[in-house]
Amino acid sequence: MRALLSLMLIPLLATSCAGVQVKRVTSRDQSGIRYWRPAPYLALVETKTDKTVTCDVKSFYLPDKTEEYAITISAGMGAVKATPTLTDGWNLTSLSTDVDSKTNENITAIKGLLKEAAGIVGPKHLAPPASPPAKCEGIFKVEYDQSGNFKGFKKIPLAIN
């Protein structure tokens, strides 16, 4: 009887361990702290001085609304301290965690977190388009193929009201 009771408690204890998970959002009611992966963009800006006209390329990031993730923190039978840093309210730039559950779930949570965090880091410096457009104006999204290789630039139409 004691052995049966012990076997019944194992799943309960295993599911109530402390941990941090980062998962892609798959439903509207999924819980957790939401953020989006950044999508790189380029802006072509014409700068005029008394003697010259230059075309500057400036890079910036906006949220990729197709890449939404949620951070879920569960204390369970242990203690969890998680500190996410969301720049501009949507971009996860760091996640500091301290999980004390003394189980293998601690290792599993950190592995999953590192895998997700590795995909967050994007390019820091982007090369300008190979052939500049006729006019120095516009916003371009940097595009990648399914393998993650650079594919090209897509001009973003701007609606002016």
Side-chain angles (χ1 to χ4, degrees), residues 143-151:
E143 292 193 317
Y144 301 94
D145 64 18
Q146 291 184 345
S147 299
N149 298 315
F150 174 76
K151 186 168 107 177

Side-chain angles (χ1 to χ4, degrees), residues 2-20:
R2 182 177 277 174
L4 181 60
L5 184 58
S6 296
L7 285 174
M8 291 173 63
L9 287 176
I10 290 173
L12 176 64
L13 292 174
T15 59
S16 62
C17 294
V20 176

Side-chain angles (χ1 to χ4, degrees), residues 52-65:
T52 62
V53 176
T54 59
C55 185
D56 295 324
V57 178
K58 301 192 187 265
S59 64
F60 62 99
Y61 294 90
L62 293 173
D64 184 342
K65 295 294 186 157

Side-chain angles (χ1 to χ4, degrees), residues 19-40:
V20 176
Q21 290 186 336
V22 177
K23 290 185 179 180
R24 187 178 202 132
V25 173
T26 56
S27 69
R28 294 181 59 105
D29 59 344
Q30 185 172 335
S31 64
I33 301 167
R34 305 283 182 105
Y35 70 93
W36 290 270
R37 291 188 56 200

